[in-house]
Every structure is written in C-alpha cells, then in structure tokens.
Amino acid sequence: MEKFYITTPIFYVNDKPHLGHAYTMLLADCIARFKRMRGADVFFLTGTDEHGEKIETAATAKGLNPKEFVDSISIQFKNAWEKLNISNDYFIRTTDKNHEDTVKKTLIKLYNKGDIYKGTYEGWYCVSCEAYYDDNEIKAGKCPMCGKNVVRKKEESYFFKMSKYEKQLREWLSEDHLIPEYRKNEMINFFKDGLKDLSITRNNIKWGIKAPFDETHTVYVWFDALLNYLSAIGYPDENFGHYWPADVQIMGKDIARFHAIYWPTFLFALDLKTPEKMITTNWWISGKEKMSKSIGNIVDPLNFADTYGLDQLRYYLLKEMTYGGDANFNEKDFIQTINNDLAEELGNLLNRTMVMNEKYFNSEIPKPEKQDLKETADKTVKNFLDLMEAYQIDRALKEIWVLVRECNRYVNEKKPWGNEEERGTIVYNLIEGLRIISVLLEPFMPVKAVEIRSQLGVKNHSFEWSGSTKGKNGARTLLFPKIDA
Ligand code: MSP
C-alpha cells in the first residue's frame, strides 16, 4: 500500500484560529481525503507551536503562566478542526514530552557531529515572525515580512552550520519540489549572497526547550517547531521511517523560507530524506490586508460554518484560493457562490432529477438505451485525477463543474418531460452523472457528497461510469438551501 504523509504548519497559540488557518487545514484535509480514496495509507499531521517569545508575551499579557495559556488555546485549535470535519490522524503539541525529547536528541546528534558552535548573534529580531534579519533585509526599520517593529539583538547564541549545506540546498531547490514553481526563485534569492549559519538558541527567553548542551539557553522556536514533522512519527527511534519523507508539506508563503531553506538543511545534516513537495499558499485578505489578529480583521470560520453550512464554507474556500494570488474573503461573494454554484447548478440538478424519476418511474432508477453523458464524465474524471495528483486543488474542483454544467445543458436540451421515448435514458444518465459528481466532490464536501448518493439511493463510489446502476432513489431533501442575499 502506498504511504502518504501530509503535514500542515503547526499553529501559534497566541490566539484562537481564524479563517486563514482554517483554509490551510481544509486544503490539507482535501488532499488527505483524496489520497485515502485512492487507497493510500495516509498520515495527516497538524498541531500547535507553543514555545518562544511571541507566546511568552501573549501569556504574560493575559496574566497567565505560559503552560496554562497554551493549554487553553491549543484545545481551541483541536476543537475547531473537529468542528470543521478535519480528518487529521494526529495532533502534535510542541510542549508534548516526546516532541521535547526529539528536539533534545536531535540537537545532541548535531552537536556531536560538529554542526553546532557557540558564537554571538548580532542583528534584528521580529517577535511576531520569530525571525532573524540582517541590516539589508529590514525595510524602513520594520520586519520585511509582517511590517511590525524589529528589535536589535546582540546576544550569545549557538549556531547551526547551515552554510555547510548551501550546495545541497541549491540542488534541492533546483529540483521540482515547490508548488507553485515561482517560489523557487524567491527562495534562492534569500541567500543570493551566500547561506549564513543560523542562530538556534536564545539565552534570554525562558519559555522554550532547554538546549541539552547548555541549559542557560533555550532552543530557537523555529528549530523546535520544524522538528515536529519528525517527532510526530517517532524520530529518532529506529523504526520511525515508515512515513518519512513527507510527501507533501503545506505552508503559507510567509513561512516558506523556514520550510524551504532551513528545514532541508536540518535534514541534510541529519542524513534524512527531504520532503517530496511543499505547497506554499497565498493569504486570505479581509478588507485590504492579510487576515490577522493583530490587525483585528479576522473572520471566525466556525461562525460562518454555523450560519451557512460547513460544506458550503469548504467549497467556497477551496474554490476561491488559487496559486495565482491572495484571495479576498467577502460574505456577499460567499452567499452568491452558495446560491449559484451549489443551490442552482448542483442542488437544483439533483432535485429536478429526483422529481422526474419519482413522477415517471416511481423513483426506480430506469435502464438506459445509451450512455449519453459517459464521455464527458470520463473526461472530467481524468482531468480531475490529473489535477488532484498535481495538487491543483481549486482547478480540480472547478473541473467537476464541467460535468455539472453538462448535466444541466443535457436536461435542458433533451427536455425529458416532453420526450417519452428517451426519458428513461435521460434520467438514468443524470443519475449516473450525479453519482460521479458526488464521488469527485467527496474530498471537498464529504458530508454533502454522501448525502447526494443517499438521496440517489446508490452506494457505488467508484470513479468509473457504470452503465448499470440500479436501485430506488431515497428521500428527497433540499441539498443546498438558497440564502437570502
Ligand atoms: N507556528 C508557525 C508555523 C510553524 S510550522 C513548523 C506559524 N504559525 S501561524 O499560526 O502564524 O500560521 C500558521 C499558518 O497559517 C501559516 O501557513 C500561515 O501562512 C497561515 N495563515 C495565517 N494567516 C493567514 C491568512 N490570512 N491567510 C491564509 N493563511 C494564513 O507560522
């Protein structure tokens, strides 16, 4: 059985989850569900990133000790993903003992190998991004990534000899690992003047894992966090390797450099394989800016799921976000998409088909003379599978609508109500078309997909057109109620 290891970033627990985070999870969930449907042995990992200055400061601001604080937020992420029907196999916390042990053991390995040395860090630090910057990276005294204030630092620190792995990193980046591909140059550009060694400990931050070779230092939060992808599958135990390397790692563009530069060099140093693919996602914008708590423009995904339906939200987010650029979250658009794509184009198609079958064939699925929609369905399935395998998720979803629209065109053209001769064939083709649509939709809208098949009264969930689907339609309910705009 093919194994498939997929990861999301682990989320900072400085605040509750928002729609941008939810999107990241939905994308991973959709891919994981698809791979399971294809028969893979999937391990889908997510979790929370709980150490470092950013979290320490957030805890202090609430008057809580950091552990109490992270416990209270981490659970909110866990609960939110359950509510959004996310099918992760594991939820890691960087405060888990096994993760902390992995980080320590890994550091000892690198230390013994001679890849860690003591020095002094001098430069800029952005607490919000937990990132180090050089003078030439700072923009008008602010963080080039998030635009917030940076602080000048000069402190004793242990360094990882990242520079040693520059050649390997360049080679790796030149291969086809990043999706979309244009990020490759962006990454290479980050070290156009050469790859520098990386400061991997802080000596003035308490809330973190203690460096095993010097307990007055805590481990830099990104070094700690990236290792979650290994600790979750048991590294460095001997038989940890079943799922490694990761098949696909998902992350936002803001944290691409940590994943596409730092992370591979850690793996080179540990003599481990590197991930197959990294998907870097764009941002959800609200108003004019990236959705984020500090800007105060966040949208709560759980409220929207409650108000408009969970699968409706999953559909909208997965359709609207592309590799082309940032996406704007807009409630009006969302409602329009539900009414148009889901209620009118898909829901109404199902409803019409069921009503006709009830009226003319007592809800028994008729026998067809011809397989009119087979060709379009086969083509849609092929395109869909190719796009999904290439992680072109929004395009795969839009491809399903080729078949939805063809079904609508077909019924309008054939007019089965006045076409007694072909009526059975037409209704059959619509039912089988809808069955295929439901199968393709399953990774995107898992609940509605099953509901479509249960209304149709069919269980077959193969991607292949079947010329002989039998049975009796089940109860008819409104799949996607229209929303008053
Ligand atoms: N803790 C780090 C990741 C460590 S992974 C070893 C982190 N956490 S985060 O909570 O700030 O962000 C988690 C993910 O959410 C990132 O991929 C980030 O890009 C994504 N998003 C945060 N805001 C977002 C939007 N407004 N839109 C889309 N995704 C965004 O970074």
Side-chain angles (χ1 to χ4, degrees), residues 9-12 18 20-21 24 49 222 225-226 228-229 251-252 254-255 259 282-284 290-291:
I10 48 171
F11 299 90
Y12 284 130
H18 64 61
H21 303 141
T24 313
D49 186 355
W222 271 101
L226 286 162
N228 91 86
Y229 304 130
M251 75 224 49
D254 48 327
I255 57 170
H259 284 83
N282 288 305
W283 289 337
W284 280 95
K290 178 189 178 205
M291 199 178 288

Side-chain angles (χ1 to χ4, degrees), residues 470-483:
K470 290 189 198 66
K472 185 163 185 163
N473 291 166
R476 179 159 50 83
T477 54
L478 208 51
L479 195 61
F480 297 109
K482 270 208 168 183
I483 315 252

Side-chain angles (χ1 to χ4, degrees), residues 31 34-35 178-180 248 277 279 323 383-396:
I31 297 171
F34 170 72
K35 286 290 174 178
L178 302 194
I179 302 174
V248 59
K277 296 282 181 201
I279 298 181
Y323 293 129
N383 293 343
F384 173 87
L385 294 177
D386 288 349
L387 288 165
M388 287 299 284
E389 292 294 350
Y391 306 118
Q392 299 292 328
I393 305 305
D394 63 295
R395 291 174 60 199

Side-chain angles (χ1 to χ4, degrees), residues 45-252:
L45 174 69
T46 191
T48 42
D49 186 355
E50 307 187 1
H51 292 127
E53 189 171 348
K54 181 180 172 111
I55 308 296
E56 193 174 71
T57 312
T60 312
K62 288 254 157 78
L64 293 173
N65 80 44
K67 184 65 170 85
E68 265 170 17
F69 178 68
V70 297
D71 284 351
S72 73
I73 309 262
S74 179
I75 189 81
Q76 293 185 38
F77 276 87
K78 205 168 184 196
N79 291 343
W81 306 153
E82 262 165 41
K83 281 203 177 139
L84 296 182
N85 199 7
I86 303 292
S87 62
N88 55 296
D89 296 291
Y90 193 62
F91 188 98
I92 190 165
R93 300 181 56 185
T94 54
T95 49
D96 289 344
K97 171 140 188 348
N98 67 333
H99 172 76
E100 297 193 353
D101 287 348
T102 295
V103 173
K104 288 185 179 168
K105 286 181 191 161
T106 306
L107 279 168
I108 287 171
K109 265 187 195 223
L110 296 177
Y111 192 78
N112 291 341
K113 190 179 173 186
D115 272 0
I116 291 176
Y117 64 91
K118 195 172 180 178
T120 305
Y121 172 75
E122 183 160 14
W124 300 96
Y125 196 77
C126 171
V127 177
S128 181
C129 297
E130 298 278 19
Y132 295 101
Y133 294 109
D134 286 337
D135 289 335
N136 58 3
E137 288 179 296
I138 296 300
K139 289 200 175 124
K142 306 270 184 196
C143 170
M145 197 47 80
C146 70
K148 295 193 189 115
N149 287 334
V150 286
V151 201
R152 186 82 193 165
K153 293 265 177 221
K154 185 170 181 188
E155 60 190 24
E156 181 185 280
S157 176
Y158 286 84
F159 286 81
F160 164 61
K161 287 188 184 165
M162 196 155 71
S163 58
K164 189 172 150 189
Y165 300 98
E166 178 171 339
K167 190 163 164 276
Q168 261 171 290
L169 179 64
R170 276 191 200 281
E171 262 168 40
W172 185 78
L173 282 170
S174 73
E175 293 159 12
D176 211 8
H177 297 293
L178 302 194
I179 302 174
E181 227 192 296
Y182 60 75
R183 293 260 182 257
K184 195 196 283 185
N185 285 340
E186 213 175 287
M187 293 301 121
I188 293 173
N189 220 19
F190 274 125
F191 57 102
K192 57 180 186 310
D193 303 326
L195 193 61
K196 296 210 175 79
D197 291 345
L198 179 70
S199 165
I200 52 158
T201 67
R202 310 277 311 268
N203 75 350
N204 52 4
I205 299 300
K206 283 202 206 74
W207 181 236
I209 301 175
K210 289 207 180 335
F213 38 76
D214 182 344
E215 298 230 323
T216 63
H217 283 245
T218 51
V219 180
Y220 171 42
V221 64
W222 271 101
F223 185 89
D224 166 351
L226 286 162
L227 282 177
N228 91 86
Y229 304 130
L230 287 175
S231 58
I233 52 170
Y235 182 80
D237 290 354
E238 244 166 54
N239 47 7
F240 96 99
H242 174 64
Y243 286 107
W244 194 254
D247 294 273
V248 59
Q249 302 209 265
I250 295 177
M251 75 224 49

